[in-house]
Amino acid sequence: METIESISVPMYQTASIAERDMRILLAGNYQDMHHHFLAPRTICEWVILLCVGGSRWVQLDKKEKISVKAGEIILLPPEVPHSYGNAENGWSLLWLHCTGETLHALCEQI
């Protein structure tokens, strides 16, 4: 199963990204969810998922499931079908739906 590696963005790149627009449309959290599953869907904005506890999986465009654990962030691009869930272990998640050039620029620099 593919793993997600943490990244760091140099300060000069962070500053140039921060100057761009970003609008948060929705935000929320799931706390200690057990047997939670989101059926495949396509959303027209960016989705940022931060796993703050437990573990889960994310699947993009019907490809292999990616394991996600506490402390890892997932950026889901607009218009790409995705689903996610967990098995027996609970997980806690913070999420945002966003628009703007900031996330496009960040992904290009990563």
Side-chain angles (χ1 to χ4, degrees), residues 13-65:
Q13 291 179 339
T14 304
S16 66
I17 290 170
E19 294 170 2
R20 301 171 192 255
D21 70 324
M22 181 174 150
R23 188 174 325 169
I24 297 173
L25 304 173
L26 297 168
N29 67 65
Y30 298 120
Q31 295 298 315
D32 200 28
M33 299 289 290
H34 292 268
H35 301 285
H36 180 255
F37 174 74
L38 174 75
R41 63 172 59 185
T42 301
I43 298 177
C44 62
E45 61 260 5
W46 286 88
V47 178
I48 302 173
L49 304 174
L50 169 59
C51 185
V52 295
S55 62
R56 54 187 253 143
W57 54 264
V58 174
Q59 186 175 33
L60 295 175
D61 206 14
K62 297 183 181 179
K63 295 181 181 172
E64 185 175 339
K65 291 179 181 177

